[in-house]
Amino acid sequence: MFVRNAWYVAAWGTELDDGLVARRICDEAIVLFRTNGRAWAIEDRCCHRAAPLRLGQVIPTGVQCGYHGLVFDGSGRCVMIPGQDTIPDNVRVRSYPVVEQDQMIWIWMGEAEVADANLIPRFPYHDDAKNWPHKRKLLQVKAHYMLIVDNLMDFTHLAYVHQKNFGGDPEGHVVAPIQVVDRTLRGVRFTRWINDRPPPPTILNAVPFKGNIDRWQDVEFIAPAAIVQKSGSVDAGTGGRDADCSQGGFQARLFHGITPETENSSLYFWSIGNGHRTDDPSATETLFQEIAGAFEEDRVILEAEQASLSESGEGGLINVKSDRTRLIARHVVDLMLQAESGERKLAIA
Ligand code: FES
Ligand SMILES: [Fe+2]
């Protein structure tokens, strides 16, 4: 079951530069494309003989089916039937509201009349290459999308899953962090401080800190499936989060777009904006490679968790203190699901 009245990342904007992109989102087959500078999404099933439109091609007027050549525009309307002059009104496929913003293609999977572009999570750093040069990746994870949200809502896993890159140090990550949690209108936000601890390998590779650091992570979950993360580190005792990072600290901006593909698989769109040595592309590349390695570690454990849950279900599982933020995130998503199913007349706006 998925929240449908919501915006999900369907593609990076640049993916549409090369023609059709086929995706499965909320278990619906979709093709995305761009014509006349505008992005569109329609169902990946021709209304003639059900051939997948992904086997067709983008032409200036829309997508041409690869079987008998019918053409559908971005609204899903058929605009050309080879060998036939008239086109009945009912010759169409479903279209989805789409917005291209912050270099991402956002899709609304629910009722088109309530799609409000103002609800799309923002990540302005993608358009600020001078201050935040970034790299991005799409990872397929064979796990329910809420398992990825869980993972990002509980950073105590850094101590154990990410020992070789930006984690390790259970004392710092699990015992010592100071964490403040705020429920927001559309999700939950938390900030963690890990003060006066040794830098993990990834941060040390980026900035040659001489001793301990003060480190912080601001994380905002915007339900159902986007997370904006701001992370930074400075020499311990030099001002913490308010310190001037241009004087040698480490800063990063991460976007996590977690799009349900099927019940047991997800499309994980992530990007890392680099805030140190911003004029040196190798600094961004190194950070990207470190993070990519870490998220691969997440993928391995998430897929193993999903396999275990698929086999044995949720029965007997317990919650511990560090589950607090992920439980709030799950509660917000549950409210959205209830609102959609009519169990609860509540609009999460
Ligand atoms: S199936 Fe698409 S044109 Fe025939
Ligand atoms: Fe992780």
Side-chain angles (χ1 to χ4, degrees), residues 151-152 154-155 157-158 161-162 166 268 294-295 297-298 301:
N151 170 279
L152 293 162
D154 178 0
F155 278 4
H157 80 271
L158 270 62
V161 177
H162 304 309
F166 54 74
Y268 181 13
F295 289 176
E297 292 168 338
D298 284 314
I301 198 136

Side-chain angles (χ1 to χ4, degrees), residues 203-240:
I203 292 181
L204 202 53
N205 280 347
V207 178
F209 288 109
K210 296 282 184 290
N212 283 358
I213 58 171
D214 292 340
R215 183 176 176 192
W216 64 95
Q217 295 143 334
D218 288 334
V219 179
E220 181 171 10
F221 170 61
I222 304 134
I227 292 166
V228 174
Q229 178 184 343
K230 304 174 187 175
S231 296
S233 302
V234 291
D235 286 313
T238 58

Side-chain angles (χ1 to χ4, degrees), residues 145-200:
Y145 80 100
M146 284 305 295
L147 297 189
I148 305 177
V149 174
D150 287 344
N151 170 279
L152 293 162
M153 289 288 104
D154 178 0
F155 278 4
T156 59
H157 80 271
L158 270 62
Y160 306 99
V161 177
H162 304 309
Q163 296 180 36
K164 293 189 292 251
N165 34 65
F166 54 74
D169 187 18
E171 170 66 19
H173 277 283
V174 184
V175 183
I178 304 160
Q179 178 157 303
V180 175
V181 179
D182 293 310
R183 171 81 158 80
T184 64
L185 199 56
R186 295 169 56 205
V188 58
R189 180 188 300 124
F190 65 86
T191 300
R192 305 167 88 231
W193 287 268
I194 302 162
N195 289 334
D196 201 11
R197 301 296 306 172

Side-chain angles (χ1 to χ4, degrees), residues 307-320:
S308 176
L309 287 167
S310 296
E311 186 177 320
S312 56
E314 297 260 350
L317 300 181
I318 54 106
N319 292 315
V320 297

Side-chain angles (χ1 to χ4, degrees), residues 24-287:
R24 179 165 288 275
I25 298 175
C26 297
D27 228 353
E28 294 180 19
I30 292 164
V31 287
L32 301 130
F33 59 99
R34 195 185 279 117
T35 52
N36 299 321
R38 185 172 163 188
W40 306 96
I42 60 177
E43 69 176 297
D44 186 15
R45 178 182 183 272
C46 180
C47 64
H48 176 221
R49 295 300 306 148
L53 291 173
R54 64 179 175 275
L55 301 180
Q57 61 172 335
V58 183
I59 61 174
T61 49
V63 172
Q64 181 159 43
C65 180
Y67 198 178
H68 311 99
L70 269 67
V71 177
F72 301 91
D73 70 11
S75 73
R77 193 171 59 93
C78 181
V79 293
M80 203 270 278
I81 301 177
Q84 183 172 319
D85 292 334
T86 56
I87 304 174
D89 274 352
N90 64 349
V91 183
R92 55 171 48 248
V93 296
R94 181 179 172 190
S95 69
Y96 297 80
V98 162
V99 174
E100 186 162 7
Q101 185 167 278
D102 299 330
Q103 299 190 24
M104 293 177 270
I105 310 294
W106 293 86
I107 190 168
W108 179 271
M109 296 301 295
E111 304 150 69
E113 47 291 355
V114 291
D116 179 355
N118 293 315
L119 298 178
I120 298 173
R122 296 306 308 258
F123 194 74
Y125 311 103
H126 277 166
D127 284 320
D128 187 2
K130 182 169 176 293
N131 295 308
W132 299 99
H134 76 273
K135 286 201 69 174
R136 53 203 176 190
K137 190 165 183 175
L138 168 57
L139 196 61
Q140 191 200 39
V141 181
K142 295 190 185 73
H144 190 279
Y145 80 100
M146 284 305 295
L147 297 189
I148 305 177
V149 174
D150 287 344
N151 170 279
L152 293 162
M153 289 288 104
D154 178 0
F155 278 4
T156 59
H157 80 271
L158 270 62
Y160 306 99
V161 177
H162 304 309
Q163 296 180 36
K164 293 189 292 251
N165 34 65
F166 54 74
D169 187 18
E171 170 66 19
H173 277 283
V174 184
V175 183
I178 304 160
Q179 178 157 303
V180 175
V181 179
D182 293 310
R183 171 81 158 80
T184 64
L185 199 56
R186 295 169 56 205
V188 58
R189 180 188 300 124
F190 65 86
T191 300
R192 305 167 88 231
W193 287 268
I194 302 162
N195 289 334
D196 201 11
R197 301 296 306 172
T202 295
I203 292 181
L204 202 53
N205 280 347
V207 178
F209 288 109
K210 296 282 184 290
N212 283 358
I213 58 171
D214 292 340
R215 183 176 176 192
W216 64 95
Q217 295 143 334
D218 288 334
V219 179
E220 181 171 10
F221 170 61
I222 304 134
I227 292 166
V228 174
Q229 178 184 343
K230 304 174 187 175
S231 296
S233 302
V234 291
D235 286 313
T238 58
R241 197 167 177 227
D242 298 324
D244 179 1
C245 285
S246 66
Q247 300 307 307
F250 169 84
Q251 285 232 57
R253 300 285 183 266
L254 287 104
F255 175 81
H256 311 265
I258 306 130
T259 301
E261 188 177 41
T262 68
E263 279 292 339
N264 288 331
S265 69
S266 306
L267 301 169
Y268 181 13
F269 296 85
W270 65 267
S271 78
I272 173 89
N274 167 37
H276 73 282
R277 294 186 6 243
T278 52
D279 53 355
D280 178 359
S282 73
T284 303
E285 180 64 29
T286 300
L287 185 58

